[in-house]
Amino acid sequence: MKNYLNFESDIKNLEAEIEKLKDPYNQDGLSEVDTKKISQSQEEIDRKLQEIYSNLDPWQTTLVARHEDRPKAKFFIDNLFKDFIPLSGDRFYGEDKSVLAGFAKFNEKSVLVIGQEKGDSLETRIERNFGMMRPEGYRKTIRLMKLADKFNIPIISFIDTPGAYPGVGAEERGQAEAIAKSIECCMSLKVPTFAIIIGEGGSGGAIALASSNKVIMLENAIYSVISPEGCATILWRDPKRTLDAAKAMKLSSKNLLELKIINEIISEPIGGAHRDRDLTLDNVRKSIENNLNEFFNMSRDEVLNHRKSKFLTIGRSKGYMNSLDDLSSLTVKKNKVNLFMEDFFKSKISLVIFFITLAILSVSIFFL
């Protein structure tokens, strides 16, 4: 059974009509399939999908990103990679099933794959905690990322989470510290890292794994510091003002590419990734291939510097720097007192005078 969003009612009616036309023994008493009418209805569906999805507002984009039929991380891992070996546990507390992680082969090359998994049924969603990672999940990924760095293996992450789990137990086990350590680990790696936001990229739960050389988004995915509902509740004390919040947050892929927060948009089939999973899969595969090839000849230090430069240049295109390529200007300005003290202690004569003065003061204090 297909699931439809509230702005897809016309498409739902047309597809229901097609299903009836395909059955020659339906309630209208037809005895043969009307292929001409089916073709006309399908053309009408394609036209309406094109019309709707070319003019999605930010809140509608959010609903598409959360669509329950949208392909999840497990789907991409199962179909893009070979010989995937899942690894479990953080070696401190336990296993977090909201994140899949392990080593695999992509085009016969070893990669570390990390995927935030929401689940595709009620049972699996509960088991996966709706994709909301706990501290042990982040510590597991840190352990594996350091292992990949040791053996010079690229890292590919699939981001799909409303945010880190906010439960009492998670906070008691150090949720904030685990997220901070994960970001620190991502920024210190000397292997190429790629984060692909396939659905919802929410808050620190996403940033913890998306501090990468390349941040890539599917066309109808979202990436934000808070959900539109949460933003509307905080700013206007009205969770119904989700559209206003979504517009203000610039959470769509097009907005984020303009702001240079992400590096690439992967196109989706008309109607969303869930309408043609095979095409979505091919588009993601091509993106991974191109990005891996781009970093193939880079040294470890060049990979690290590329990632640092990427984040240092975000938001600095208007007035903060003369040239985005000149990161040497990102230095802390020192005041005159600090400069005087540095020059004073660099001089050998000044050092001699300083120690003589210190000795005289010490003797004077002793005799007093």
Side-chain angles (χ1 to χ4, degrees), residues 27 155-156 164 178 225 321:
Q27 60 184 1
I155 300 168
I156 301 168
V225 296
M321 297 173 63

Side-chain angles (χ1 to χ4, degrees), residues 24 35 56-57 60 63 68 77 82 85 88 109 119 126 145 151 185 190 201 234 247 249 255 272 283 336 358 360 365:
T35 54
L56 290 177
D57 63 42
Q60 289 172 332
L63 296 177
E68 55 187 294
I77 292 172
K82 294 181 180 178
I85 302 171
S88 305
K109 296 176 183 177
I126 293 171
M145 286 191 289
F151 292 102
C185 178
K190 291 188 175 183
I234 292 170
K247 284 181 178 178
M249 290 163 65
N255 291 141
N283 292 342
K336 292 182 179 179
L358 191 64
I360 293 171
I365 292 170

Side-chain angles (χ1 to χ4, degrees), residues 61-80:
T61 303
T62 303
L63 296 177
V64 177
R66 294 172 176 173
H67 199 291
E68 55 187 294
D69 295 334
R70 194 172 177 83
K72 307 294 192 298
K74 190 175 186 302
F75 169 78
F76 289 106
I77 292 172
D78 290 343
N79 291 281
L80 287 174

Side-chain angles (χ1 to χ4, degrees), residues 173-234:
R173 296 193 298 277
Q175 183 72 291
E177 184 263 354
I179 292 172
K181 286 286 186 183
S182 182
I183 296 172
E184 180 186 29
C185 178
C186 288
M187 293 302 296
S188 65
L189 296 170
K190 291 188 175 183
V191 293
T193 56
F194 311 102
I196 304 172
I197 301 168
I198 57 175
E200 230 179 332
S203 190
I207 296 170
L209 296 178
S211 301
S212 307
N213 288 95
K214 290 288 188 77
V215 180
I216 303 161
M217 285 181 72
L218 287 182
E219 186 178 357
N220 293 313
I222 60 169
Y223 189 31
S224 62
V225 296
I226 192 173
S227 68
E229 299 95 324
C231 178
T233 302
I234 292 170

Side-chain angles (χ1 to χ4, degrees), residues 35 59 64 71 95 122 128 140 151 157 164 207 255 278 307 337 350 367:
T35 54
W59 176 240
V64 177
E95 166 65 349
L122 180 59
R128 304 286 186 187
K140 174 174 74 172
F151 292 102
S157 302
I207 296 170
N255 291 141
D278 291 335
R307 191 183 308 115
V337 175
S350 299
F367 283 108

Side-chain angles (χ1 to χ4, degrees), residues 315-356:
R316 295 183 180 272
S317 59
K318 294 183 179 179
Y320 293 100
M321 297 173 63
N322 294 326
S323 172
L324 292 180
D325 297 325
D326 182 19
L327 295 177
S328 60
S329 62
L330 298 177
T331 54
V332 178
K333 291 185 178 180
K334 300 175 182 178
N335 58 35
K336 292 182 179 179
V337 175
N338 288 336
L339 291 171
F340 171 78
M341 294 299 291
E342 283 185 6
D343 292 338
F344 178 83
F345 283 107
K346 283 179 183 176
S347 170
K348 292 182 180 179
I349 297 173
S350 299
L351 281 174
V352 172
I353 294 171
F354 173 75
F355 284 116
I356 290 172

